[in-house]
Amino acid sequence: MAEIVVAERAPAPAGRWGAAPPQELLERLKDYGQEGAFALWDELAPEERDFLVRDIESIDLARIDRIVRCSLRSQGVPVPAVEPVPESSVSTVEDRTPEDKQRWWKRGLKAISEGKLAVVLLAGGQALAFLLGSHFSNFKLNEFCAYRSWLLSPLMVTFFQQGTIPCVSADGRFIMETPYKVARAPDGNGGVYAALKSQRLLDDMAGRGVKYVDCYGVDNVLVRVADPTFLGYFIDKGVSAAAKVVRKAYPQEKVGVFVQRGRGGPLSVVEYSEMDAAMTTEINQRTGRLRYCWSNVCLHMFTLDFLNQVTNSLEKDSIYHLAEKKIPSIHGYTAGLKLEQFIFDVFTYSPSTALFEILREEEFAPVKNANGATYDTPDSARLMLLRLHSRWVVAAGGFLTHSVPLYMTGVEVSPLSSYAGENLEAICRGRTFHAPSEISF
């Protein structure tokens, strides 16, 4: 019988780095228990070795080690009991007077005209910061609305990238997506704070005279960007942080809600998954409403001073949320951990927070994937916008006609014509508009 010879796999060419990984980098990995990243070095081609070395060198190993250790250690640590948000911390729609709203509107517009407001837009791992500069002084309302159509000087707009963080095993070891690449994931929407700090955007805002920062998510089609009324309320209250909130639609709605951490403690957000059935259904006997009812909808306002303080505090504490996920790896999809910060994590650090109730039908229509049962599809969210604008037109004395059921269509009011339904009488009164259509200035 003929002899069968099985050839051994030839070692990869040495390439730039030789037969062994760079010794200094290997020692640094050993310091943090991550030398397994070089486990398959001998099997890599020269260009793959180069890629792996660059990939490891791009990781701040000391920082990531601190984050992983602090986050793993925080699991199971008792947290203060939660209480409902005190009524004094919430401005409800029903309690606002026309005089309050007018005062806040004027105060907010004044701050904007003085260049004191910056806006940060969150967009899935990327973000956009823009400033409303002094050229907005003495503006009319339609001029103020123009920035919503992105009519801004390029010098006032900055795009910036949020970070990623290595995915790890339950014992904190890096998971390798390929033999020459560490698996990574975005650091969560709360990573925007670290990005603002590391890319010196907070310093840039301070240098331009900014005092307040409006922060919101891109997926809300009804968002009122840089809302003067909300800004004026925020300034009037003299707090470090504020959030627009909506009432929970029903007890089982899958939304995070604001709570107070311990009696007299700071306000923070509890995720739906952290709430037991008793907490989600508990009723305030005096009002007949849910005790834990103020839903977080990612419409936030902060002082710039607070953001500078809280970014340092978040970095010092280095506690991230751990999400158990299937991570793509050299062994296929494997169980691992993604580390994230959430946009609402900062509220725990705020010495004073105020909440501002809004109506869903006026300011909250999130666009998510259609398979998310609690969210609107892009089409239905746009319909909410059209319905809102149609109500504006009718309230301003206009009339609507339509060839399909009105709940399926509507009119759209250009932001150059109105910001929130005001000043439309001169355009709409006595006129008939056929839906669908757009009303421009």
Side-chain angles (χ1 to χ4, degrees):
M1 183 170 60
E3 181 179 1
I4 299 176
V5 178
V6 179
E8 293 184 359
R9 179 175 178 177
R16 173 186 174 190
W17 300 108
Q23 189 61 31
E24 182 179 352
L25 187 57
L26 178 59
E27 292 302 320
R28 286 174 55 207
L29 284 171
K30 287 181 178 178
D31 288 342
Y32 301 109
Q34 302 294 356
E35 64 273 17
F38 280 145
L40 299 177
W41 178 269
D42 292 343
E43 300 179 17
L44 301 181
E47 63 273 14
E48 293 172 335
R49 291 177 177 178
D50 286 343
F51 189 97
L52 176 57
V53 169
R54 290 195 303 271
D55 192 44
I56 297 298
E57 287 179 336
S58 70
I59 299 173
D60 184 338
L61 292 173
R63 176 176 183 265
I64 297 303
D65 179 70
R66 184 177 68 251
I67 289 172
V68 171
R69 286 189 294 103
C70 290
S71 301
L72 289 173
R73 193 166 57 232
S74 71
Q75 300 304 294
V77 174
V79 296
V82 299
E83 299 277 344
V85 173
E87 293 181 8
S88 60
S89 297
V90 188
S91 168
T92 61
V93 171
E94 59 199 27
D95 288 339
R96 276 173 224 147
T97 67
E99 292 75 22
D100 286 337
K101 291 186 284 187
Q102 185 66 15
R103 184 179 75 256
W104 295 334
W105 173 266
K106 289 181 177 179
R107 190 163 190 175
L109 285 181
K110 184 176 185 294
I112 292 169
S113 72
E114 294 171 347
K116 293 181 179 179
L117 180 68
V119 177
V120 174
L121 163 62
L122 305 175
Q126 294 182 323
L128 164 71
F130 59 91
L131 308 177
L132 305 184
S134 58
H135 69 282
F136 280 89
S137 59
N138 299 319
F139 54 81
K140 297 178 183 177
L141 185 64
N142 63 313
E143 293 173 311
F144 168 71
C145 295
Y147 83 88
R148 298 188 72 201
S149 299
W150 311 107
L151 302 180
L152 289 166
S153 163
L155 296 177
M156 299 173 66
V157 181
T158 302
F159 290 90
F160 61 101
Q161 188 78 34
Q162 293 179 225
T164 60
I165 199 164
C167 302
V168 298
S169 59
D171 60 357
R173 309 279 181 170
F174 291 166
I175 293 174
M176 300 302 293
E177 183 173 341
T178 71
Y180 51 88
K181 180 182 179 184
V182 176
R184 306 188 195 209
D187 56 3
N189 56 14
V192 68
Y193 303 116
L196 285 169
K197 188 75 170 180
S198 65
Q199 298 178 47
R200 304 190 66 82
L201 292 175
L202 296 181
D203 292 340
D204 182 65
M205 291 177 189
R208 295 171 183 257
V210 168
K211 300 294 184 185
Y212 316 107
V213 180
D214 181 24
C215 185
Y216 73 98
V218 71
D219 59 353
N220 181 5
V221 73
L222 297 185
V223 64
R224 292 183 182 175
V225 182
D227 181 358
T229 303
F230 184 39
L231 175 58
Y233 165 76
F234 176 66
I235 297 172
D236 209 32
K237 294 290 287 186
V239 292
S240 300
K244 288 186 174 181
V245 292
V246 298
R247 292 185 187 272
K248 285 187 71 173
Y250 49 93
Q252 289 75 32
E253 186 180 14
K254 295 183 178 181
V255 292
V257 298
F258 276 92
V259 299
Q260 186 174 51
R261 288 288 182 183
R263 191 171 297 277
L267 302 192
S268 65
V269 175
V270 172
E271 294 183 89
Y272 174 79
S273 58
E274 300 177 80
M275 301 173 66
D276 59 29
M279 186 176 176
T280 60
T281 58
E282 191 173 350
I283 299 296
N284 182 324
Q285 296 302 319
R286 187 178 66 82
T287 64
R289 292 171 170 167
L290 295 173
R291 290 192 75 203
Y292 298 95
C293 65
W294 299 118
S295 303
N296 175 48
V297 290
C298 195
L299 299 171
H300 302 153
M301 191 81 70
F302 306 107
T303 65
L304 186 61
D305 286 343
F306 171 66
L307 285 185
N308 271 303
Q309 295 165 10
V310 79
T311 50
N312 292 330
S313 297
L314 287 170
E315 188 64 27
K316 177 184 176 182
D317 291 349
S318 295
I319 296 176
Y320 283 56
H321 303 269
L322 301 176
E324 296 181 1
K325 300 288 184 180
K326 292 294 185 181
I327 311 296
S329 77
I330 55 178
H331 305 297
Y333 280 87
T334 187
L337 300 172
K338 292 183 178 180
L339 295 97
E340 301 174 305
Q341 286 186 323
F342 296 153
I343 192 72
F344 53 75
D345 287 343
V346 295
F347 287 101
T348 302
Y349 295 86
S350 175
S352 53
T353 298
L355 304 184
F356 188 85
E357 184 190 8
I358 59 173
L359 300 178
R360 291 171 187 260
E361 61 269 24
E362 293 184 357
E363 296 192 51
F364 184 56
V367 180
K368 296 288 186 181
N369 293 331
N371 59 1
T374 62
Y375 296 97
D376 294 291
T377 64
D379 284 344
S380 63
R382 175 165 174 76
L383 279 175
M384 290 184 71
L385 175 68
L386 296 178
R387 292 171 194 161
L388 173 62
H389 288 194
S390 297
R391 293 195 296 272
W392 291 355
V393 170
V394 172
F399 301 93
L400 297 179
T401 63
H402 44 90
S403 54
V404 296
L406 191 56
Y407 69 85
M408 297 175 59
T409 186
V411 296
E412 182 170 1
V413 177
S414 166
L416 296 175
S417 300
S418 181
Y419 177 77
E422 69 296 305
N423 293 356
L424 288 174
E425 288 80 2
I427 303 173
C428 299
R429 185 170 300 281
R431 293 182 60 189
T432 298
F433 301 90
H434 184 79
S437 63
E438 180 179 350
I439 300 175
S440 300
F441 181 72

